[in-house]
Amino acid sequence: MSLDATYTKEIPLVEGGVSFKDIDQVIIEPTNTKPTKGWWIAFLMSLTALTIGGVSLGLTIYYGIGMWGNNQPVGWAFGIINFVFWIGIGHAGTLISAILYLFRQKWRTGIARFAEAMTIFAVMTAGIFPIVHTGRPWLAGYLLPLPNMNGVWVNFYSPLLWDVFAVSTYFTISFLFWGIGLIPDLATMRDRTTSKIKKTIYSVLSLGWTNSNRNWSNYERAYLILAGISTPLVLSVHSIVSFDFAVSVIPGWHTTIFPPYFVAGAIFSGFGMVSTILIIVRKIFNLQHIITINHLETMNKILLATGMMVGYAYGMEFFIAWYSGNTFEQFVFINRAFGPYAWSYWIMVSCNVIFPQLFWFKKIRRSIPITMVLVLLVNVGMWFERFVIIVTSLHRDFLPSSWAMFTPTLTDLGLLLGSFGFFFTFLLLFLKTLPLVSISEVKAVMEGAQPTVHPHPHSNGKHNSH
Amino acid sequence: MIKNLINKIKEFDTAEDKERRSSKLYGKAALYNTPNQITEAAAVVAGSGYKKFDVYTPYPLHGMDTAMGMGAPKIGYVSFILGITGTSLALLMMIWMSTIDYPNIIGGKPFFGLPAGIPITFESTVLLCGIATVLGLLVLFSKMPKLNSPLNDTDFMKHVTSDKYGLVIEADDEKYIESDVLKLFADTKAYEVQDIYFRESNLTTKTPLFDKKFTGAIIGTAILTAVVSYFTLNYVLYDVVPFDWMRQQGRIDSQSKSDFFPNKSGMREPVTGTVARGFMPYEYAGMPDSAVKLLANPVPVTKKSLERGQDRYNIYCSPCHGYFGDGDGRMRDQFPKPPSLHTEKAKNWKDGNFFHVMTNGQNVMPSYAEQVSKDDRWAIVNYIRALQRAKDAGETDLEKAK
């Protein structure tokens, strides 16, 4: 709950005396109007990036992983960096929709729907990379325990297999969570629209939802259960992603701090992405009343907190490298900070730990341009964090004769660009077709929305509780 | 043409969409302005003994369940049971696959290890629990899809999905009497009352799920899909990747041809100068004299070493030299006949000579250094000595042995 500057009065979550009707109007508006010029420009840019990504993907699938800069000993590079980066982006959505829901943080309603959509698109983007990285993506089905001609099953000891289960479960549950949240809103849109085609579509998608309280009752409980299972789920997903590294014996990867470190980083990067996009979206779609500056400020506080957790992890890694007395571990970390990839390490540290310290100042937290710059830096910093973890740990391994540097190829860069194109294409389509703020949830937290009387069943006249 | 089409679509899009309603009353609907009014009204309706009524609000109202006298929502049971099912299915699957169906030793660990099984067990629990919760909510508890509910497409519904709070008492409630209901609505400050009639289709068709044709069609489609996919997968797409159950594997077998490499050989040759681990080059290659002078037999003559020598000799030498060194092995007529090992020359040879022939090869006889280890070669020499001695045994030899 956000408080005002004197910390005495709760700030209204929706600003400026808006009525329920206004809310319907404002939120549904973007889906009814023709896209603006800005939207088209953004869409064309995304499509271009997507096309470049598509070509790079085609090349990779046709010629194989040799199109990438991966080498010996840097066997994992952009593919895995992008995978971890995008999965991490997704985590903010679940944090906002599930964890903040459990903590009864009402301010989440303004941004939850959008963040959940972001989760879904980010997980979709992330999913492409490991599948292509297998080299023969058309056999991706065999990542699951499917019967095959060799009779052998998948290796249940492998974190990569756990990943398959974690990511697919994560996608499914996020999608369901998002989907049932949309149902009441689609019902509202169904009853607002004048177009018969749209009405048919909304009717079908809303499955004939009637806003009946007998349904709401189960709906709210179902929502709570989904939030309850999504919370450990989201923590498990990035923990398992971190196992991909931590379960190996590579110095720099083989540490127990990885799961919490990865989860904090994921939330940090996800919030960075949510803020980046929201700042633009609320402006374009005139949602400043619903996604208020208070929302942005609260998110900045979370960024500050998670940024420091990540910073703690960076420090702790160095401490353990020294404290363990393991020379290989020590070498890796000194090589990270002062070796040939030191520049990436210091980009990471400054974007993720140093710059976000500015959020200690309320003025900066509430200044949109500065926030924009800082969150963009967070996005950059978190991409480089994965670069640092993966590439610097691998490029100088146990055998100095096989040390090598990693240089991305054009295909690598094309895929990275393409992943942004893929993500933003979906996001832009979402913004124009579905309500990007949950109508029913926002109404429920507005002033005067909840009854102040709580009667039990009684017959009128005999004993009236008034 | 295209313009026509667009016009047609536009016409369709803006056409009035009013399904005809029957004259049978579904219920009476009242609209309220504030959350307090509706909560009070719900409490009164429930208290007056009505059973078939429901409250319609743009968002869930706190305390409405108590006001309506409803019990706690039951969806949690569905989630719990299916969640537990997910847990057990995942565990059973992993245990069956990795200990019963195809046990495989991985990293010297037990066939199935619980710690490594936890992530998948957890994810499966969440997956099944989540799917069950959503399906339970939609299908079991909300009886969706209900596109043709009499309430949909009414003016009443347009209000309760936006900013008003509604209450509907169904006409087939036992206590339904029109005047009572109207009075009740008026008493509870309803600002508008509407009649809601069934759709014509509501009277003829029941829930599609129980409609014979509909269920039949669904089951029919399911069976058809199953049969078609079975035959497609197993006969039509039998050897089409990726539906071939991994029968085809894009690997290069040893000795096979490959167009990928310039020299068309599937096998890669080691870089020039590569030395295998543990390999020691033979110092006296082509120099029998130095070998004889410098090599001494390190393997003592014991029963064990003689048995080892016999074993190796029978495997590697007997095909050509025969079991007793007479040069009458099983390869005769297929390979140049080797000389007997009982010639004067061979008898006078030093151990080093034999070792050198085995290691270096001699004329048509190839080197056996690859197949027979160094110590074994010396053991063979000992055994050959034993053969030579046995061939030439004197009458007193047995006595001496005693």
Side-chain angles (χ1 to χ4, degrees):
Chain A
M1 243 169 257
S2 18
L3 300 170
D4 69 352
T6 55
Y7 296 96
T8 47
K9 196 175 93 226
E10 203 183 312
I11 295 175
L13 294 161
V14 176
E15 284 177 346
V18 248
S19 73
F20 287 168
K21 274 236 159 75
D22 297 337
I23 300 244
D24 291 345
Q25 172 60 26
V26 172
I27 298 179
I28 298 177
E29 167 110 325
T31 68
N32 283 330
T33 50
K34 283 231 166 72
T36 57
K37 227 191 200 157
W39 188 90
W40 275 116
I41 294 175
F43 192 65
L44 285 180
M45 276 165 59
S46 315
L47 272 190
T48 315
L50 181 62
T51 317
I52 295 175
V55 172
S56 314
L57 193 70
L59 287 174
T60 309
I61 292 176
Y62 189 79
Y63 290 109
I65 304 302
M67 293 301 288
W68 297 358
N70 299 18
N71 58 25
Q72 220 37 275
V74 189
W76 275 4
F78 268 40
I80 304 298
I81 298 172
N82 295 343
F83 164 68
V84 181
F85 175 73
W86 283 110
I87 280 280
I89 298 281
H91 280 47
T94 321
L95 182 102
I96 293 169
S97 57
I99 302 186
L100 296 186
Y101 181 81
L102 294 184
F103 283 121
R104 301 277 181 266
Q105 294 292 304
K106 289 188 191 151
W107 61 273
R108 68 177 267 289
T109 52
I111 54 172
R113 161 73 44 73
F114 171 79
E116 281 167 28
M118 211 189 68
T119 299
I120 294 170
F121 304 141
V123 176
M124 280 161 56
T125 317
I128 298 173
F129 290 98
I131 290 181
V132 184
H133 211 320
T134 59
R136 282 187 271 167
W138 50 93
L139 293 179
Y142 291 102
L143 291 172
L144 294 169
L146 286 184
N148 60 70
M149 124 95 158
N150 303 318
V152 70
W153 297 104
V154 287
N155 173 6
F156 292 108
Y157 278 103
S158 165
L160 301 178
L161 178 74
W162 308 341
D163 239 2
V164 172
F165 277 82
V167 174
S168 47
T169 302
Y170 185 44
F171 177 75
T172 316
I173 298 295
S174 308
F175 187 75
L176 292 177
F177 204 13
W178 183 69
I180 71 159
L182 270 171
I183 287 177
D185 287 4
L186 287 165
T188 303
M189 292 169 78
R190 167 196 71 195
D191 291 339
R192 290 282 84 67
T193 180
T194 49
S195 145
K196 197 173 156 191
I197 296 176
K198 280 192 180 174
K199 200 189 128 191
T200 317
I201 296 173
Y202 295 146
S203 301
V204 171
L205 290 180
S206 67
L207 302 167
W209 177 261
T210 55
N211 273 357
S212 130
N213 190 63
R214 292 185 199 275
N215 293 352
W216 275 131
S217 168
N218 279 306
Y219 178 91
E220 286 228 285
R221 180 58 60 90
Y223 207 80
L224 181 69
I225 293 172
L226 283 178
I229 57 173
S230 299
T231 301
L233 176 65
V234 68
L235 300 182
S236 85
V237 172
H238 229 61
S239 300
I240 291 176
V241 169
S242 81
F243 289 160
D244 292 347
F245 303 95
V247 171
S248 76
V249 291
I250 308 279
W253 287 3
H254 186 66
T255 68
T256 48
I257 200 178
F258 259 34
Y261 163 27
F262 267 52
V263 172
I267 292 168
F268 180 62
S269 72
F271 266 84
M273 190 57 106
V274 175
S275 287
T276 316
I277 303 170
L278 271 189
I279 290 176
I280 303 170
V281 163
R282 69 193 278 277
K283 184 91 195 146
I284 297 181
F285 293 115
N286 268 328
L287 293 170
Q288 284 101 326
H289 290 306
I290 294 172
I291 305 167
T292 63
I293 187 91
N294 299 323
H295 286 107
L296 296 179
E297 187 187 357
T298 318
M299 288 200 280
N300 287 343
K301 285 182 191 163
I302 294 187
L303 274 174
L304 178 60
T306 45
M308 287 196 313
M309 287 183 209
V310 173
Y312 170 79
Y314 297 160
M316 194 40 97
E317 279 187 323
F318 268 83
F319 171 76
I320 292 294
W322 164 76
Y323 187 68
S324 66
N326 181 324
T327 43
F328 295 103
E329 196 81 17
Q330 286 165 2
F331 169 78
V332 163
F333 282 94
I334 290 173
N335 182 48
R336 259 187 204 177
F338 306 107
Y341 283 114
W343 53 272
S344 65
Y345 182 81
W346 294 107
I347 291 181
M348 165 186 106
V349 170
S350 43
C351 290
N352 294 347
V353 190
I354 301 175
F355 294 135
Q357 297 308 317
L358 289 172
F359 283 139
W360 284 109
F361 303 103
K362 192 177 175 94
K363 271 244 172 61
I364 290 180
R365 282 204 303 271
R366 297 182 73 89
S367 148
I368 291 182
I370 303 183
T371 303
M372 186 71 192
V373 172
L374 288 178
V375 293
L376 276 176
L377 287 177
V378 167
N379 291 327
V380 174
M382 283 309 293
W383 190 88
F384 271 101
E385 178 192 299
R386 280 59 177 252
F387 180 89
V388 167
I389 292 175
I390 294 173
V391 174
T392 66
S393 308
L394 288 176
H395 86 120
R396 291 190 165 175
D397 64 357
F398 294 104
L399 198 64
S401 63
S402 47
W403 286 2
M405 295 293 284
F406 165 78
T407 332
T409 59
L410 275 181
T411 314
D412 274 323
L413 298 171
L415 272 176
L416 175 59
L417 188 68
S419 70
F420 280 90
F422 186 80
F423 176 78
F424 280 104
T425 306
F426 274 102
L427 200 74
L428 286 163
L429 288 175
F430 159 73
L431 291 177
K432 283 308 282 181
T433 47
L434 290 169
L436 74 150
V437 175
S438 169
I439 302 175
S440 63
E441 283 192 14
V442 165
K443 284 181 186 166
V445 298
M446 276 170 57
E447 264 185 321
Q450 292 300 340
T452 47
V453 292
H454 296 289
H456 284 270
H458 61 85
S459 73
N460 198 16
K462 278 178 206 151
H463 43 86
N464 201 328
S465 73
H466 279 291
Chain B
M1 247 291 277
I2 293 175
K3 244 191 190 154
N4 251 345
L5 199 75
I6 293 178
N7 277 342
K8 275 241 170 78
I9 293 177
K10 271 200 179 137
E11 217 170 88
F12 169 81
D13 194 29
T14 46
E16 193 73 12
D17 169 43
K18 276 279 177 245
E19 203 197 329
R20 279 212 291 149
R21 298 273 166 164
S22 67
S23 53
K24 191 169 178 231
L25 189 70
Y26 167 76
K28 274 215 179 314
L31 285 166
Y32 296 83
N33 272 319
T34 70
N36 277 352
Q37 284 172 353
I38 187 77
T39 320
E40 267 303 330
V44 172
V45 172
S48 315
Y50 292 98
K51 290 274 167 317
K52 294 193 165 173
F53 74 97
D54 208 339
V55 166
Y56 297 84
T57 52
Y59 52 87
L61 286 185
H62 296 168
M64 184 51 84
D65 292 5
T66 4
M68 286 173 66
M70 288 165 53
K74 297 202 173 52
I75 189 155
Y77 295 107
V78 177
S79 318
F80 178 75
I81 292 171
L82 268 288
I84 292 291
T85 314
T87 318
S88 7
L89 281 184
L91 281 173
L92 288 177
M93 173 187 83
M94 285 189 284
I95 293 175
W96 178 76
M97 285 178 180
S98 52
T99 66
I100 298 171
D101 189 52
Y102 199 118
N104 218 343
I105 297 179
I106 293 158
K109 291 171 209 150
F111 290 135
F112 172 72
L114 189 58
I118 294 288
I120 289 174
T121 312
F122 172 77
E123 302 300 332
S124 307
T125 308
V126 168
L127 185 66
L128 243 69
C129 174
I131 293 177
T133 310
V134 170
L135 285 186
L137 169 74
L138 299 184
V139 180
L140 218 56
F141 291 97
S142 311
K143 305 275 186 302
M144 300 216 277
K146 46 179 177 186
L147 297 190
N148 64 344
S149 146
L151 287 165
N152 280 335
D153 289 328
T154 58
D155 181 58
F156 172 77
M157 194 37 61
K158 287 203 162 54
H159 281 102
V160 297
T161 52
S162 175
D163 58 348
K164 297 292 186 239
Y165 310 86
L167 198 159
V168 173
I169 300 183
E170 286 177 37
D172 60 351
D173 189 286
E174 272 175 18
K175 295 196 69 180
Y176 183 86
I177 301 167
E178 191 172 339
S179 55
D180 283 6
V181 171
L182 285 177
K183 183 170 175 305
L184 199 154
F185 284 164
D187 286 351
T188 50
K189 304 194 189 78
Y191 80 90
E192 195 181 320
V193 177
Q194 297 179 357
D195 286 340
I196 293 183
Y197 292 96
F198 279 108
R199 294 158 192 265
E200 292 201 322
S201 57
N202 291 146
L203 300 178
T204 48
T205 39
K206 282 254 164 72
T207 350
L209 262 186
F210 301 111
D211 186 80
K212 261 188 209 142
K213 271 190 201 155
F214 181 77
T215 331
I218 290 214
I219 296 178
T221 323
I223 294 178
L224 193 75
T225 321
V227 172
V228 168
S229 9
Y230 178 83
F231 282 100
T232 326
L233 282 178
N234 287 301
Y235 296 97
V236 184
L237 296 177
Y238 181 75
D239 47 8
V240 178
V241 180
F243 306 103
D244 64 345
W245 306 113
M246 285 201 179
R247 230 172 256 112
Q248 286 175 41
Q249 315 228 337
R251 57 155 202 267
I252 302 170
D253 289 323
S254 50
Q255 323 282 343
S256 68
K257 189 184 157 193
S258 160
D259 288 332
F260 184 80
F261 299 111
N263 69 354
K264 306 275 174 201
S265 158
M267 299 211 297
R268 301 290 73 216
E269 281 150 17
V271 179
T272 342
T274 308
V275 175
R277 247 168 219 251
F279 172 81
M280 285 300 265
Y282 181 55
E283 294 164 82
Y284 311 110
M287 304 188 293
D289 295 342
S290 356
V292 174
K293 220 181 278 162
L294 296 168
L295 282 174
N297 189 344
V299 176
V301 183
T302 61
K303 192 162 185 240
K304 210 171 144 209
S305 82
L306 278 178
E307 272 169 1
R308 176 76 185 165
Q310 178 183 30
D311 184 53
R312 298 293 100 178
Y313 178 90
N314 287 349
I315 292 173
Y316 290 107
C317 320
S318 72
C320 298
H321 287 277
Y323 283 109
F324 306 106
D326 296 323
D328 56 350
R330 305 184 287 292
M331 294 287 288
R332 75 186 147 240
D333 302 340
Q334 296 167 52
F335 197 80
K337 188 174 157 26
S340 160
L341 297 178
H342 303 289
T343 56
E344 275 314 304
K345 173 180 138 200
K347 276 194 208 157
N348 291 331
W349 262 7
K350 292 253 161 52
D351 283 1
N353 282 106
F354 291 97
F355 185 84
H356 181 81
V357 172
M358 276 186 265
T359 314
N360 187 62
Q362 176 182 304
N363 301 323
V364 283
M365 181 182 151
S367 154
Y368 276 79
E370 296 279 317
Q371 295 94 322
V372 187
S373 77
K374 205 170 145 205
D375 283 353
D376 283 349
R377 269 174 266 152
W378 287 115
I380 291 179
V381 175
N382 287 343
Y383 180 65
I384 293 176
R385 290 287 185 221
L387 285 178
Q388 288 174 339
R389 180 82 184 78
K391 192 92 185 173
D392 222 19
E395 279 169 15
T396 49
D397 274 0
L398 268 179
E399 307 265 299
K400 272 188 209 155
K402 278 177 193 165

PDB file of all heavy atoms in Angstrom, chain B residues 35-52:
ATOM      1  N   PRO B  35     -22.730  -0.490  -3.534  1.00  0.00           N
ATOM      2  CA  PRO B  35     -22.376  -1.804  -2.979  1.00  0.00           C
ATOM      3  C   PRO B  35     -23.113  -2.095  -1.677  1.00  0.00           C
ATOM      4  O   PRO B  35     -23.484  -3.229  -1.424  1.00  0.00           O
ATOM      5  CB  PRO B  35     -20.865  -1.719  -2.749  1.00  0.00           C
ATOM      6  CG  PRO B  35     -20.433  -0.359  -3.118  1.00  0.00           C
ATOM      7  CD  PRO B  35     -21.553   0.349  -3.767  1.00  0.00           C
ATOM      8  N   ASN B  36     -23.369  -1.058  -0.874  1.00  0.00           N
ATOM      9  CA  ASN B  36     -24.076  -1.308   0.379  1.00  0.00           C
ATOM     10  C   ASN B  36     -25.497  -1.771   0.129  1.00  0.00           C
ATOM     11  O   ASN B  36     -25.978  -2.702   0.766  1.00  0.00           O
ATOM     12  CB  ASN B  36     -24.092  -0.042   1.235  1.00  0.00           C
ATOM     13  CG  ASN B  36     -22.793   0.108   2.018  1.00  0.00           C
ATOM     14  OD1 ASN B  36     -21.973  -0.820   2.002  1.00  0.00           O
ATOM     15  ND2 ASN B  36     -22.609   1.229   2.653  1.00  0.00           N
ATOM     16  N   GLN B  37     -26.186  -1.093  -0.811  1.00  0.00           N
ATOM     17  CA  GLN B  37     -27.564  -1.479  -1.120  1.00  0.00           C
ATOM     18  C   GLN B  37     -27.643  -2.933  -1.554  1.00  0.00           C
ATOM     19  O   GLN B  37     -28.477  -3.695  -1.088  1.00  0.00           O
ATOM     20  CB  GLN B  37     -28.114  -0.595  -2.244  1.00  0.00           C
ATOM     21  CG  GLN B  37     -28.491   0.794  -1.786  1.00  0.00           C
ATOM     22  CD  GLN B  37     -28.855   1.687  -2.966  1.00  0.00           C
ATOM     23  OE1 GLN B  37     -28.698   1.290  -4.126  1.00  0.00           O
ATOM     24  NE2 GLN B  37     -29.341   2.886  -2.679  1.00  0.00           N
ATOM     25  N   ILE B  38     -26.725  -3.322  -2.449  1.00  0.00           N
ATOM     26  CA  ILE B  38     -26.817  -4.675  -2.990  1.00  0.00           C
ATOM     27  C   ILE B  38     -26.516  -5.695  -1.898  1.00  0.00           C
ATOM     28  O   ILE B  38     -27.146  -6.749  -1.821  1.00  0.00           O
ATOM     29  CB  ILE B  38     -25.891  -4.871  -4.213  1.00  0.00           C
ATOM     30  CG1 ILE B  38     -26.114  -6.238  -4.883  1.00  0.00           C
ATOM     31  CG2 ILE B  38     -24.432  -4.795  -3.846  1.00  0.00           C
ATOM     32  CD1 ILE B  38     -27.301  -6.323  -5.705  1.00  0.00           C
ATOM     33  N   THR B  39     -25.560  -5.390  -1.025  1.00  0.00           N
ATOM     34  CA  THR B  39     -25.236  -6.340   0.030  1.00  0.00           C
ATOM     35  C   THR B  39     -26.438  -6.522   0.948  1.00  0.00           C
ATOM     36  O   THR B  39     -26.800  -7.650   1.306  1.00  0.00           O
ATOM     37  CB  THR B  39     -24.028  -5.840   0.848  1.00  0.00           C
ATOM     38  OG1 THR B  39     -23.076  -5.275  -0.047  1.00  0.00           O
ATOM     39  CG2 THR B  39     -23.381  -6.952   1.607  1.00  0.00           C
ATOM     40  N   GLU B  40     -27.068  -5.417   1.306  1.00  0.00           N
ATOM     41  CA  GLU B  40     -28.269  -5.488   2.133  1.00  0.00           C
ATOM     42  C   GLU B  40     -29.349  -6.305   1.427  1.00  0.00           C
ATOM     43  O   GLU B  40     -29.955  -7.195   2.014  1.00  0.00           O
ATOM     44  CB  GLU B  40     -28.798  -4.071   2.410  1.00  0.00           C
ATOM     45  CG  GLU B  40     -28.297  -3.452   3.712  1.00  0.00           C
ATOM     46  CD  GLU B  40     -28.640  -4.344   4.899  1.00  0.00           C
ATOM     47  OE1 GLU B  40     -29.663  -5.050   4.850  1.00  0.00           O
ATOM     48  OE2 GLU B  40     -27.853  -4.353   5.880  1.00  0.00           O
ATOM     49  N   ALA B  41     -29.572  -5.965   0.150  1.00  0.00           N
ATOM     50  CA  ALA B  41     -30.627  -6.632  -0.602  1.00  0.00           C
ATOM     51  C   ALA B  41     -30.374  -8.132  -0.643  1.00  0.00           C
ATOM     52  O   ALA B  41     -31.287  -8.939  -0.452  1.00  0.00           O
ATOM     53  CB  ALA B  41     -30.693  -6.062  -2.015  1.00  0.00           C
ATOM     54  N   ALA B  42     -29.102  -8.528  -0.868  1.00  0.00           N
ATOM     55  CA  ALA B  42     -28.780  -9.951  -0.939  1.00  0.00           C
ATOM     56  C   ALA B  42     -29.105 -10.622   0.385  1.00  0.00           C
ATOM     57  O   ALA B  42     -29.658 -11.728   0.415  1.00  0.00           O
ATOM     58  CB  ALA B  42     -27.307 -10.135  -1.286  1.00  0.00           C
ATOM     59  N   ALA B  43     -28.767  -9.932   1.494  1.00  0.00           N
ATOM     60  CA  ALA B  43     -29.027 -10.520   2.807  1.00  0.00           C
ATOM     61  C   ALA B  43     -30.529 -10.710   3.003  1.00  0.00           C
ATOM     62  O   ALA B  43     -30.981 -11.720   3.550  1.00  0.00           O
ATOM     63  CB  ALA B  43     -28.449  -9.630   3.904  1.00  0.00           C
ATOM     64  N   VAL B  44     -31.320  -9.737   2.528  1.00  0.00           N
ATOM     65  CA  VAL B  44     -32.766  -9.835   2.696  1.00  0.00           C
ATOM     66  C   VAL B  44     -33.321 -10.970   1.841  1.00  0.00           C
ATOM     67  O   VAL B  44     -34.114 -11.796   2.306  1.00  0.00           O
ATOM     68  CB  VAL B  44     -33.431  -8.489   2.324  1.00  0.00           C
ATOM     69  CG1 VAL B  44     -34.943  -8.660   2.304  1.00  0.00           C
ATOM     70  CG2 VAL B  44     -33.008  -7.409   3.300  1.00  0.00           C
ATOM     71  N   VAL B  45     -32.876 -11.049   0.598  1.00  0.00           N
ATOM     72  CA  VAL B  45     -33.384 -12.099  -0.293  1.00  0.00           C
ATOM     73  C   VAL B  45     -33.056 -13.471   0.282  1.00  0.00           C
ATOM     74  O   VAL B  45     -33.900 -14.359   0.347  1.00  0.00           O
ATOM     75  CB  VAL B  45     -32.793 -11.946  -1.713  1.00  0.00           C
ATOM     76  CG1 VAL B  45     -33.158 -13.129  -2.575  1.00  0.00           C
ATOM     77  CG2 VAL B  45     -33.287 -10.661  -2.347  1.00  0.00           C
ATOM     78  N   ALA B  46     -31.797 -13.633   0.737  1.00  0.00           N
ATOM     79  CA  ALA B  46     -31.408 -14.920   1.297  1.00  0.00           C
ATOM     80  C   ALA B  46     -32.218 -15.204   2.558  1.00  0.00           C
ATOM     81  O   ALA B  46     -32.679 -16.318   2.782  1.00  0.00           O
ATOM     82  CB  ALA B  46     -29.918 -14.931   1.613  1.00  0.00           C
ATOM     83  N   GLY B  47     -32.431 -14.161   3.372  1.00  0.00           N
ATOM     84  CA  GLY B  47     -33.156 -14.340   4.622  1.00  0.00           C
ATOM     85  C   GLY B  47     -34.618 -14.661   4.389  1.00  0.00           C
ATOM     86  O   GLY B  47     -35.263 -15.309   5.217  1.00  0.00           O
ATOM     87  N   SER B  48     -35.197 -14.222   3.264  1.00  0.00           N
ATOM     88  CA  SER B  48     -36.599 -14.493   2.997  1.00  0.00           C
ATOM     89  C   SER B  48     -36.805 -15.891   2.443  1.00  0.00           C
ATOM     90  O   SER B  48     -37.915 -16.245   2.084  1.00  0.00           O
ATOM     91  CB  SER B  48     -37.171 -13.476   2.012  1.00  0.00           C
ATOM     92  OG  SER B  48     -36.765 -12.181   2.373  1.00  0.00           O
ATOM     93  N   GLY B  49     -35.766 -16.655   2.345  1.00  0.00           N
ATOM     94  CA  GLY B  49     -35.911 -18.063   1.978  1.00  0.00           C
ATOM     95  C   GLY B  49     -35.789 -18.359   0.505  1.00  0.00           C
ATOM     96  O   GLY B  49     -36.027 -19.476   0.074  1.00  0.00           O
ATOM     97  N   TYR B  50     -35.431 -17.395  -0.326  1.00  0.00           N
ATOM     98  CA  TYR B  50     -35.242 -17.700  -1.747  1.00  0.00           C
ATOM     99  C   TYR B  50     -33.974 -18.524  -1.917  1.00  0.00           C
ATOM    100  O   TYR B  50     -32.977 -18.311  -1.203  1.00  0.00           O
ATOM    101  CB  TYR B  50     -35.126 -16.419  -2.571  1.00  0.00           C
ATOM    102  CG  TYR B  50     -36.408 -15.633  -2.639  1.00  0.00           C
ATOM    103  CD1 TYR B  50     -36.635 -14.558  -1.804  1.00  0.00           C
ATOM    104  CD2 TYR B  50     -37.405 -15.999  -3.548  1.00  0.00           C
ATOM    105  CE1 TYR B  50     -37.823 -13.850  -1.840  1.00  0.00           C
ATOM    106  CE2 TYR B  50     -38.596 -15.295  -3.601  1.00  0.00           C
ATOM    107  CZ  TYR B  50     -38.798 -14.220  -2.752  1.00  0.00           C
ATOM    108  OH  TYR B  50     -39.967 -13.538  -2.802  1.00  0.00           O
ATOM    109  N   LYS B  51     -34.014 -19.472  -2.833  1.00  0.00           N
ATOM    110  CA  LYS B  51     -32.835 -20.296  -3.076  1.00  0.00           C
ATOM    111  C   LYS B  51     -32.198 -19.961  -4.433  1.00  0.00           C
ATOM    112  O   LYS B  51     -30.994 -19.872  -4.579  1.00  0.00           O
ATOM    113  CB  LYS B  51     -33.213 -21.781  -3.065  1.00  0.00           C
ATOM    114  CG  LYS B  51     -33.593 -22.293  -1.674  1.00  0.00           C
ATOM    115  CD  LYS B  51     -32.350 -22.710  -0.921  1.00  0.00           C
ATOM    116  CE  LYS B  51     -32.552 -22.933   0.566  1.00  0.00           C
ATOM    117  NZ  LYS B  51     -33.355 -21.986   1.327  1.00  0.00           N
ATOM    118  N   LYS B  52     -33.073 -19.816  -5.473  1.00  0.00           N
ATOM    119  CA  LYS B  52     -32.527 -19.636  -6.820  1.00  0.00           C
ATOM    120  C   LYS B  52     -32.395 -18.154  -7.137  1.00  0.00           C
ATOM    121  O   LYS B  52     -33.212 -17.584  -7.855  1.00  0.00           O
ATOM    122  CB  LYS B  52     -33.435 -20.318  -7.838  1.00  0.00           C
ATOM    123  CG  LYS B  52     -33.460 -21.813  -7.667  1.00  0.00           C
ATOM    124  CD  LYS B  52     -34.102 -22.467  -8.862  1.00  0.00           C
ATOM    125  CE  LYS B  52     -33.789 -23.953  -8.842  1.00  0.00           C
ATOM    126  NZ  LYS B  52     -34.514 -24.665  -9.890  1.00  0.00           N
TER     127      LYS B  52
END
